[in-house]
Amino acid sequence: MFDDPNVVLHCEKIDKIYPGTKALDQVSFDLLKGQVNVLIGENGAGKSTLMKMIAGIEQPSSGKMYMDGKEVYFKDTNAARAKGIGIIHQELSLFPNMTVYQNIFMGHEKKKGIFLDDKAHSEGAKKILKRLEHEIPPDTMVGDLRVGQQQMVEIARNLNQDDLRVLIMDEPTSSLSAAEVKVLFKIMRELLEAGISIVYISHRLEEIMEIGDHVTILRDGKYVADAAVKDIELSWIVENMVGKNTQYHRFERSIDLSKQPKMLEIKNLCLPKKGGGWTLDHVSLDLKKGEVLGIYGLLGAGRSELFECLMGLHPEHTGDVFYEGKKLKIKDVATQIQNGFALVPEDRQSQGLIQTLDIGKNTSISSLKDYVKGLFLDEKAENAAVDEQIRDIHIKVADKRLPILSLSGGNQQKVVIGKGLLTKPKILLLDEPSRGIDIGAKTEVFEIIHELAEKGLSIIVISSELKEIMAIADRICVLSNGKKTGELTGDEITEDTLVRTSYAGLGTGRNA
């Protein structure tokens, strides 16, 4: 029996055992009423697993949960939803081949007689999206939206639940711009005022200090500490989370980049936008051998589209691309891989990994042609190459034949990087390489980037996180509304300059 009027849900000594691993070990957790309950820990700490128990996606191996003084057991998500619990997943759970309004009303459709009332669905979707300051046409196919817009649809879907008491938000801002994060925080405060309690999982520590009320830290599946946000500092969170105070540090380069040749030169790259205007508007930049070039900008600035053009995904683009001094004819992805380009995409789940394949095959899939002998695959050579990559970039894995989803987010990201590296690229394109991974894994990914650049690999990195891009980039190009609005080096690279430059290309009509 557990009854505390300040606690909306209490977890008592929860265990979760998977074959070969204990994801949760005697974890007790109080979800405080009317507060933003922050849950934090490194990848593999058990945060998402605990939330899956509360949302009815999975069931505890042992332990109990209580609501309103009574023990509850959620055999599935419907049972949890009946108690007013909603969850926004880190990896989006939308239907790409359905419209925005169909996704928002999935599972609680309105009917007019025996037919679905799509007019009511469309109007309802408009209303919720207007509240989120994201007025996407309700009949747009979700698969046609950018990741940030899809994230807003996922949030809208949960706000459509009438009897909501608890909203779990697992990395809700990982795909959002700074302006969109502000809107989300405003909505969260409105939800608190309406009596809804929030569980908030994020790796962005500054966000936690801004929006959180109470922090609980997990490490290696165990409870470590909890405290009110007003009583703690960032250093306390980091020390409890990783056992040591990890800060991003700027990497010292042994290469004199001023003496390095240009590997890539882009001149007046343009990409037309559907319905008129430009997604990329006469963008010019260059990249030297062994350089880490950062691309910074708000969501919708054209950053990912720049990479897509370089990889042959937009044959309609105009402008010239020179590779090692020669004009490049960009045909398709396969040709660009042969030309020495490799892309690590922003959305690792849908674009970077094949979830039905194991860790080893996900690592080697892009370079299998290198291990063909006659008509057959030389598995010995393939395995040796995969083992070397696992060793080189420190992928924490017991057996490469395990499913890819058995790895933490940080290690999955390393597999996607390893897959690109096995194609032996000369230019590596990294789109948000630290998205949705913890501070320890981020540091490891940054070290990998630095080591590769020191060996002479030319790298372009897109990141939405100011401190990250300032730590890893030798030079930063800023995009805004499809235009290049700045190029910063050395002492010019400051948070203030980056933010001001990223807003420079926006018209007065856009909400900054």
Side-chain angles (χ1 to χ4, degrees):
M1 181 72 183
F2 180 91
D3 196 7
D4 183 336
N6 298 315
V7 176
V8 68
L9 184 142
H10 170 71
C11 298
E12 181 72 41
K13 295 184 177 176
I14 300 288
D15 281 350
K16 182 61 181 178
I17 299 164
Y18 296 108
T21 181
K22 195 169 191 179
L24 292 173
D25 187 357
Q26 296 284 290
V27 172
S28 295
F29 172 68
D30 284 338
L31 205 167
L32 302 175
K33 195 172 281 185
Q35 293 196 24
V36 176
N37 299 264
V38 174
L39 192 60
I40 192 165
E42 292 193 270
N43 280 82
K47 310 179 299 293
S48 295
T49 305
L50 181 60
M51 291 307 100
K52 284 174 183 174
M53 309 289 124
I54 294 172
I57 296 163
E58 295 193 26
Q59 290 68 44
S61 302
S62 65
K64 294 178 179 178
M65 291 192 287
Y66 298 88
M67 285 184 86
D68 305 318
K70 296 173 185 171
E71 187 180 341
V72 289
Y73 178 82
F74 304 136
K75 63 181 173 59
D76 54 30
T77 52
N78 290 332
R81 214 174 280 125
K83 284 286 187 181
I85 296 170
I87 184 167
I88 296 166
H89 295 276
Q90 178 185 350
E91 307 299 349
L92 301 177
S93 57
L94 298 171
F95 298 92
N97 58 339
M98 298 178 82
T99 65
V100 168
Y101 75 75
Q102 286 170 328
N103 271 277
I104 290 172
F105 280 88
M106 179 64 67
H108 33 92
E109 296 86 352
K110 296 180 185 294
K111 287 192 174 180
K112 205 173 187 179
I114 60 168
F115 300 103
L116 292 175
D117 190 350
D118 283 341
K119 190 178 179 187
H121 293 155
S122 186
E123 289 304 314
K126 266 186 197 171
K127 197 173 172 184
I128 297 167
L129 290 165
K130 188 172 184 180
R131 185 181 171 195
L132 287 168
E133 296 178 29
H134 237 74
E135 296 181 54
I136 304 161
D139 55 355
T140 308
M141 283 290 177
V142 162
D144 293 337
L145 299 178
R146 300 291 306 162
V147 176
Q149 293 174 308
Q150 290 184 13
Q151 185 81 63
M152 282 297 186
V153 173
E154 181 89 46
I155 292 163
R157 194 169 147 184
N158 279 275
L159 295 184
N160 196 32
Q161 196 171 321
D162 292 330
D163 54 352
L164 194 64
R165 292 181 66 194
V166 173
L167 182 58
I168 298 164
M169 309 178 96
D170 192 350
E171 294 284 349
T173 63
S174 61
S175 306
L176 303 183
S177 67
E180 288 167 326
V181 170
K182 278 185 185 173
V183 174
L184 179 64
F185 284 1
K186 190 178 97 178
I187 296 293
M188 286 170 69
R189 291 186 184 103
E190 287 173 10
L191 293 173
L192 293 180
E193 285 170 19
I196 292 163
S197 307
I198 295 171
V199 183
Y200 190 80
I201 298 174
S202 178
H203 289 115
R204 296 180 175 180
L205 303 184
E206 289 81 5
E207 280 182 8
I208 287 163
M209 300 302 287
E210 182 183 344
I211 196 67
D213 295 310
H214 198 90
V215 175
T216 301
I217 297 176
L218 300 182
R219 188 166 74 231
D220 298 328
K222 295 184 177 76
Y223 162 87
V224 174
D226 73 289
V229 170
K230 62 182 174 58
D231 298 333
I232 59 169
E233 293 180 351
L234 272 180
S235 56
W236 180 88
I237 293 177
V238 174
E239 282 162 21
N240 278 290
M241 210 171 102
V242 297
K244 59 182 184 293
N245 199 338
T246 306
Q247 298 291 338
Y248 302 135
H249 65 278
R250 190 157 175 78
F251 290 100
E252 294 299 319
R253 299 304 308 274
S254 64
I255 299 171
D256 183 355
L257 290 170
S258 66
K259 294 177 181 173
Q260 294 298 307
K262 283 182 186 175
M263 288 294 291
L264 185 71
E265 198 169 1
I266 299 167
K267 292 184 178 177
N268 294 317
L269 188 68
C270 293
L271 182 64
K273 192 185 285 183
K274 288 175 187 172
W278 301 98
T279 301
L280 291 169
D281 189 354
H282 295 83
V283 173
S284 298
L285 55 87
D286 60 69
L287 174 69
K288 292 184 174 181
K289 185 176 172 63
E291 182 180 27
V292 180
L293 175 67
I295 304 284
Y296 183 73
L298 305 174
L299 201 75
R303 303 167 306 167
S304 295
E305 288 83 358
L306 174 68
F307 279 7
E308 288 167 5
C309 287
L310 290 176
M311 289 305 295
L313 290 165
H314 291 292
E316 70 274 25
H317 81 259
T318 58
D320 296 324
V321 177
F322 295 88
Y323 176 56
E324 294 185 314
K326 293 174 186 172
K327 190 171 174 180
L328 201 61
K329 190 167 182 181
I330 299 173
K331 294 178 184 175
D332 51 40
V333 175
T335 308
Q336 285 305 88
I337 291 172
Q338 284 176 356
N339 284 336
F341 287 74
L343 170 65
V344 174
E346 176 186 8
D347 188 348
R348 66 173 170 266
Q349 291 299 336
S350 68
Q351 297 172 338
L353 298 169
I354 300 173
Q355 298 182 4
T356 51
L357 294 181
D358 62 27
I359 296 160
K361 278 285 182 259
N362 265 287
T363 310
S364 64
I365 192 77
S366 292
S367 53
L368 283 177
K369 63 175 177 52
D370 296 338
Y371 315 115
V372 173
K373 265 189 180 176
L375 296 173
F376 302 99
L377 185 66
D378 184 348
E379 290 189 5
K380 191 176 177 184
E382 179 196 359
N383 285 329
V386 170
D387 289 341
E388 187 181 356
Q389 205 55 249
I390 287 171
R391 200 166 50 245
D392 283 355
I393 58 176
H394 318 296
I395 302 170
K396 290 171 191 163
V397 53
D399 188 337
K400 62 177 178 284
R401 289 164 297 190
L402 287 169
I404 189 67
L405 295 182
S406 68
L407 294 180
S408 69
N411 282 300
Q412 287 180 26
Q413 187 70 327
K414 287 186 194 175
V415 167
V416 183
I417 293 170
K419 179 179 75 170
L421 293 177
L422 274 184
T423 66
K424 301 181 179 67
K426 291 188 178 178
I427 293 176
L428 182 62
L429 310 175
L430 299 169
D431 193 348
E432 299 284 5
S434 67
R435 180 184 164 228
I437 62 175
D438 63 68
I439 196 167
K442 281 181 184 183
T443 306
E444 288 182 358
V445 168
F446 298 161
E447 283 169 357
I448 290 164
I449 293 168
H450 175 67
E451 286 167 13
L452 293 169
E454 286 288 289
K455 289 175 184 172
L457 185 61
S458 303
I459 301 170
I460 309 181
V461 182
I462 292 171
S463 178
S464 303
E465 301 247 357
L466 284 167
K467 286 185 171 63
E468 288 182 12
I469 203 147
M470 288 170 67
I472 56 178
D474 300 306
R475 182 165 53 102
I476 301 175
C477 287
V478 183
L479 296 184
S480 178
N481 214 20
K483 293 185 174 76
K484 179 179 161 186
T485 51
E487 186 175 307
L488 312 175
T489 55
D491 295 339
E492 297 170 337
I493 300 174
T494 65
E495 288 188 38
D496 183 58
T497 311
L498 278 169
V499 171
R500 278 192 288 107
T501 314
S502 67
Y503 282 104
L506 301 178
T508 53
R510 178 164 169 174
N511 178 20

